[in-house]
Amino acid sequence: GIPGRVSLRLFEEWVYPIASPALAASIGKGDASLLLKYPLIHDSDASGWRAWFAAMNIDYRPRAQDRRFEDYNLVLDAAASGLGIALARPPLAGQQVASGRLAIVDDRTVLNPVSYWMDRPEGKMRPAAADLAGRIAHAAGTDGAALKNFLGS
């Protein structure tokens, strides 16, 4: 960990490629290298795409044709508008896939190298902060022993 900090991993996510239904249908499924014929859409960190392609034994480096947005909601909007292929982050994109606004391009999932953490400075937590941390950890399904360690109890 980071000196002077206490961290708790809340959860990880498994990502997969998504696009507008029309674009997904035109790409088809099977050959992962076909995705490289289209612009790939990502937020400020392309590590999810690197991990997904690495799992398919393909070396990926961001290209000029790829599109980058600072906000993941804009990534989803761009993909739904047919501007390219994005990676679904299920906690954030699941409903749009379920509603048909976005379609799965490839069913193969890869662990996103970026995960969700809760972090705090060392020392005793204020009761309100400890209560909030407990509620967040509970909602994320965090292990009780790990939460107890994070809270410093």
Side-chain angles (χ1 to χ4, degrees):
I2 299 171
R5 309 291 305 175
V6 180
S7 299
L8 173 67
R9 183 177 12 216
L10 296 173
F11 58 90
E12 299 171 319
E13 60 188 8
W14 292 80
V15 296
Y16 51 89
I18 55 173
S20 68
L23 182 57
S26 72
I27 295 169
K29 295 190 180 192
D31 184 359
S33 67
L34 290 176
L35 276 63
L36 293 172
K37 294 181 178 183
Y38 301 88
L40 301 178
I41 306 169
H42 58 86
D43 58 14
S44 59
D45 184 6
S47 61
W49 275 120
R50 282 192 292 277
W52 193 85
F53 279 111
M56 307 304 139
N57 295 314
I58 298 171
D59 184 34
Y60 167 73
R61 295 182 196 329
R63 308 159 299 164
Q65 72 195 51
D66 296 337
R67 295 181 169 97
R68 175 184 162 193
F69 296 93
E70 291 300 318
D71 183 282
Y72 188 68
N73 290 316
L74 296 175
V75 170
L76 295 176
D77 288 344
S81 296
L83 297 179
I85 307 166
L87 279 179
R89 298 170 60 192
L92 304 171
Q95 184 173 351
Q96 293 192 42
V97 172
S99 73
R101 182 172 188 245
L102 291 164
I104 297 172
V105 174
D106 193 303
D107 295 322
R108 292 173 284 190
T109 62
V110 171
L111 181 63
N112 190 348
V114 178
S115 55
Y116 295 84
W117 292 78
M118 191 161 31
D119 184 79
R120 69 174 185 84
E122 287 181 338
K124 184 167 174 56
M125 293 181 74
R126 294 187 319 243
D131 180 60
L132 177 61
R135 286 186 281 145
I136 291 170
H138 178 72
T142 303
D143 174 67
L147 175 60
K148 186 175 181 180
N149 186 52
F150 177 78
L151 296 175
S153 303

